[in-house]
Amino acid sequence: MFDVAKHLGAITRAVESTTHDGKPAKVVVASRTYPTTPDDLWDAVTDPERIPRWFAAVEGDLRLGGRFQVQGNAGGEIVACDAPTHLSLTWEMGGGVSWVDVTIEEGSSSSGEESTTLTLRHTAEQLDPEFYDTYGPGAVGVGWELSLMGLAEHVATGATMDHDEVEAWGATDSGRAFMGGSADGWGEAAVADGEDPTAARAAAARTTAFYTGAEPPA
Protein backbone atom coordinates (compact mmCIF):
# COMPACT_ATOMS: atom_id res chain seq x y z
CA MET A 1 0.00 0.00 0.00
CA PHE A 2 1.26 3.47 -0.90
CA ASP A 3 2.21 5.43 2.23
CA VAL A 4 1.17 9.01 1.42
CA ALA A 5 2.36 10.48 4.72
CA LYS A 6 5.75 8.77 4.46
CA HIS A 7 6.49 10.19 1.03
CA LEU A 8 5.18 13.67 1.82
CA GLY A 9 7.27 13.73 4.98
CA ALA A 10 10.41 12.64 3.14
CA ILE A 11 10.68 15.94 1.26
CA THR A 12 12.09 19.16 2.68
CA ARG A 13 10.56 22.11 0.83
CA ALA A 14 11.67 25.73 0.67
CA VAL A 15 10.96 28.78 -1.46
CA GLU A 16 13.47 31.61 -1.81
CA SER A 17 12.98 35.09 -3.25
CA THR A 18 16.14 36.23 -4.97
CA THR A 19 17.48 37.83 -8.14
CA HIS A 20 18.99 36.27 -11.24
CA ASP A 21 20.99 38.48 -13.61
CA GLY A 22 19.48 41.45 -11.82
CA LYS A 23 15.88 40.30 -12.28
CA PRO A 24 13.47 39.14 -9.53
CA ALA A 25 13.38 35.36 -9.32
CA LYS A 26 11.95 32.55 -7.24
CA VAL A 27 13.81 29.40 -6.24
CA VAL A 28 11.97 26.17 -5.47
CA VAL A 29 14.16 23.95 -3.29
CA ALA A 30 13.35 20.26 -2.79
CA SER A 31 15.52 17.88 -0.79
CA ARG A 32 15.20 14.15 -0.12
CA THR A 33 17.48 11.55 1.46
CA TYR A 34 17.95 8.13 -0.16
CA PRO A 35 19.28 4.83 1.25
CA THR A 36 22.21 4.53 -1.14
CA THR A 37 25.68 5.86 -1.90
CA PRO A 38 26.49 9.16 -3.62
CA ASP A 39 27.95 7.24 -6.58
CA ASP A 40 24.78 5.18 -7.04
CA LEU A 41 22.49 8.20 -6.72
CA TRP A 42 24.63 10.16 -9.19
CA ASP A 43 24.43 7.25 -11.62
CA ALA A 44 20.64 7.12 -11.25
CA VAL A 45 20.23 10.80 -12.16
CA THR A 46 22.81 10.96 -14.96
CA ASP A 47 22.90 7.56 -16.71
CA PRO A 48 20.64 7.73 -19.79
CA GLU A 49 19.81 4.04 -19.29
CA ARG A 50 18.57 4.61 -15.73
CA ILE A 51 16.88 8.02 -16.01
CA PRO A 52 13.82 6.64 -17.87
CA ARG A 53 13.36 4.05 -15.14
CA TRP A 54 12.17 6.75 -12.73
CA PHE A 55 11.75 9.97 -14.75
CA ALA A 56 11.49 10.12 -18.55
CA ALA A 57 13.62 9.30 -21.58
CA VAL A 58 16.41 11.80 -22.23
CA GLU A 59 18.20 12.27 -25.53
CA GLY A 60 21.20 14.34 -26.54
CA ASP A 61 24.84 14.86 -25.69
CA LEU A 62 24.90 14.14 -21.97
CA ARG A 63 28.21 15.73 -21.03
CA LEU A 64 29.44 19.14 -19.91
CA GLY A 65 28.43 21.69 -22.54
CA GLY A 66 26.11 19.24 -24.28
CA ARG A 67 22.44 19.72 -24.97
CA PHE A 68 19.66 17.39 -23.87
CA GLN A 69 15.95 16.90 -24.47
CA VAL A 70 13.58 15.26 -22.00
CA GLN A 71 10.87 13.40 -23.89
CA GLY A 72 7.65 15.40 -23.70
CA ASN A 73 9.22 18.02 -21.46
CA ALA A 74 12.05 20.55 -21.37
CA GLY A 75 15.44 20.61 -23.01
CA GLY A 76 18.57 22.57 -22.22
CA GLU A 77 22.32 22.68 -21.78
CA ILE A 78 24.49 20.98 -19.17
CA VAL A 79 26.51 23.81 -17.63
CA ALA A 80 28.18 22.00 -14.71
CA CYS A 81 28.88 18.31 -14.16
CA ASP A 82 31.09 17.37 -11.22
CA ALA A 83 30.59 13.68 -10.44
CA PRO A 84 29.25 12.58 -8.04
CA THR A 85 28.23 15.79 -6.28
CA HIS A 86 26.99 18.56 -8.59
CA LEU A 87 24.93 18.90 -11.77
CA SER A 88 23.64 22.17 -13.20
CA LEU A 89 21.66 22.78 -16.37
CA THR A 90 19.35 25.16 -18.13
CA TRP A 91 15.68 24.20 -18.32
CA GLU A 92 14.21 25.49 -21.58
CA MET A 93 10.53 25.11 -22.33
CA GLY A 94 7.88 27.13 -24.15
CA GLY A 95 10.35 29.84 -25.08
CA GLY A 96 11.38 30.42 -21.46
CA VAL A 97 14.61 29.54 -19.67
CA SER A 98 15.05 28.60 -16.02
CA TRP A 99 17.88 26.90 -14.18
CA VAL A 100 18.13 23.58 -12.33
CA ASP A 101 20.94 22.85 -9.89
CA VAL A 102 21.36 19.45 -8.19
CA THR A 103 23.74 18.66 -5.34
CA ILE A 104 24.37 15.21 -3.88
CA GLU A 105 25.86 14.85 -0.40
CA GLU A 106 26.74 11.80 1.61
CA GLY A 107 24.79 11.66 4.85
CA SER A 108 24.99 9.72 8.06
CA SER A 109 22.61 7.25 9.64
CA SER A 110 22.47 6.11 13.26
CA SER A 111 21.77 2.60 11.99
CA GLY A 112 24.95 2.55 9.92
CA GLU A 113 23.07 2.26 6.62
CA GLU A 114 24.06 4.21 3.53
CA SER A 115 22.43 7.63 3.30
CA THR A 116 22.72 10.27 0.57
CA THR A 117 20.82 13.54 0.25
CA LEU A 118 19.83 15.08 -3.08
CA THR A 119 18.91 18.78 -3.13
CA LEU A 120 17.32 20.25 -6.24
CA ARG A 121 17.10 24.02 -6.75
CA HIS A 122 14.95 25.29 -9.65
CA THR A 123 15.39 29.03 -10.26
CA ALA A 124 12.97 30.95 -12.47
CA GLU A 125 12.76 34.64 -13.20
CA GLN A 126 9.23 35.92 -12.69
CA LEU A 127 8.47 36.35 -16.36
CA ASP A 128 4.76 35.73 -15.82
CA PRO A 129 3.67 37.12 -12.42
CA GLU A 130 0.04 36.27 -13.18
CA PHE A 131 0.88 32.57 -13.50
CA TYR A 132 2.87 32.59 -10.25
CA ASP A 133 0.13 34.45 -8.41
CA THR A 134 -2.36 31.85 -9.65
CA TYR A 135 -0.45 28.66 -8.83
CA GLY A 136 2.52 29.61 -6.66
CA PRO A 137 5.64 27.45 -6.30
CA GLY A 138 3.62 24.23 -6.33
CA ALA A 139 3.26 24.46 -10.10
CA VAL A 140 6.94 23.47 -10.25
CA GLY A 141 7.36 21.89 -6.84
CA VAL A 142 4.71 19.18 -7.14
CA GLY A 143 6.18 17.94 -10.42
CA TRP A 144 9.68 17.71 -9.00
CA GLU A 145 8.36 16.03 -5.85
CA LEU A 146 6.67 13.35 -7.96
CA SER A 147 9.98 12.77 -9.75
CA LEU A 148 11.95 12.52 -6.51
CA MET A 149 9.38 10.03 -5.24
CA GLY A 150 9.89 7.94 -8.39
CA LEU A 151 13.63 8.11 -7.81
CA ALA A 152 13.10 6.84 -4.26
CA GLU A 153 11.16 3.83 -5.49
CA HIS A 154 13.81 3.07 -8.11
CA VAL A 155 16.75 3.41 -5.71
CA ALA A 156 15.08 1.34 -2.98
CA THR A 157 13.79 -1.50 -5.15
CA GLY A 158 15.52 -1.28 -8.53
CA ALA A 159 12.08 -0.98 -10.09
CA THR A 160 11.35 0.60 -13.45
CA MET A 161 8.42 2.99 -13.47
CA ASP A 162 5.51 2.12 -15.73
CA HIS A 163 4.32 5.50 -17.02
CA ASP A 164 0.79 4.23 -17.74
CA GLU A 165 0.51 2.90 -14.20
CA VAL A 166 1.81 6.18 -12.78
CA GLU A 167 -0.76 8.15 -14.75
CA ALA A 168 -3.52 5.83 -13.52
CA TRP A 169 -2.23 6.13 -9.95
CA GLY A 170 -2.64 9.91 -10.18
CA ALA A 171 -6.39 9.42 -10.44
CA THR A 172 -6.59 7.24 -7.30
CA ASP A 173 -7.34 8.47 -3.79
CA SER A 174 -3.67 7.98 -2.86
CA GLY A 175 -2.45 9.86 -5.90
CA ARG A 176 -4.78 12.78 -5.32
CA ALA A 177 -3.90 12.86 -1.62
CA PHE A 178 -0.20 12.93 -2.42
CA MET A 179 -0.46 15.73 -4.97
CA GLY A 180 -2.80 17.74 -2.75
CA GLY A 181 -0.50 17.32 0.23
CA SER A 182 2.49 18.31 -1.86
CA ALA A 183 0.72 21.44 -3.15
CA ASP A 184 -0.22 22.38 0.41
CA GLY A 185 3.39 21.89 1.49
CA TRP A 186 4.61 24.23 -1.21
CA GLY A 187 1.98 26.75 -0.18
CA GLU A 188 3.35 26.69 3.36
CA ALA A 189 6.89 27.06 2.01
CA ALA A 190 5.73 30.19 0.20
CA VAL A 191 4.25 31.53 3.44
CA ALA A 192 7.59 30.88 5.17
CA ASP A 193 9.24 32.96 2.41
CA GLY A 194 7.02 35.89 3.35
CA GLU A 195 4.10 35.55 0.96
CA ASP A 196 0.58 36.44 2.09
CA PRO A 197 -0.83 33.29 3.75
CA THR A 198 -4.31 33.62 2.27
CA ALA A 199 -2.98 34.12 -1.27
CA ALA A 200 -0.36 31.38 -0.95
CA ARG A 201 -2.87 28.81 0.30
CA ALA A 202 -5.39 29.76 -2.39
CA ALA A 203 -2.66 29.27 -5.01
CA ALA A 204 -1.90 25.85 -3.47
CA ALA A 205 -5.57 24.89 -3.78
CA ARG A 206 -5.54 25.86 -7.46
CA THR A 207 -2.37 23.80 -7.97
CA THR A 208 -4.10 20.81 -6.38
CA ALA A 209 -7.03 21.27 -8.75
CA PHE A 210 -4.65 21.47 -11.71
CA TYR A 211 -2.82 18.26 -10.84
CA THR A 212 -5.83 16.23 -9.71
CA GLY A 213 -8.46 17.47 -12.16
CA ALA A 214 -10.67 18.64 -9.31
CA GLU A 215 -12.91 21.66 -9.55
CA PRO A 216 -10.68 24.73 -8.94
CA PRO A 217 -11.63 26.98 -6.03
CA ALA A 218 -13.64 30.07 -6.85
Side-chain angles (χ1 to χ4, degrees), residues 127-147:
L127 301 178
D128 188 351
E130 182 178 352
F131 181 84
Y132 186 86
D133 290 346
T134 300
Y135 295 106
V140 172
V142 175
W144 282 122
E145 196 164 334
L146 285 164
S147 296

Side-chain angles (χ1 to χ4, degrees), residues 5 45 68 77 113 122-123 128 136 138-139 144 159-161 180 184 195-197 199:
V45 300
F68 68 91
E77 179 184 352
E113 297 176 352
H122 192 158
T123 302
D128 188 351
W144 282 122
T160 297
M161 177 177 62
D184 289 345
E195 296 186 25
D196 175 74

Side-chain angles (χ1 to χ4, degrees), residues 76-93:
E77 179 184 352
I78 300 169
V79 297
C81 185
D82 304 308
T85 59
H86 182 225
L87 177 68
S88 185
L89 44 88
T90 63
W91 194 256
E92 304 170 20
M93 188 174 185

Side-chain angles (χ1 to χ4, degrees), residues 17-35:
S17 297
T18 185
T19 59
H20 187 273
D21 291 338
K23 300 177 182 179
K26 288 285 187 180
V27 187
V28 166
V29 187
S31 181
R32 181 163 182 158
T33 298
Y34 297 88

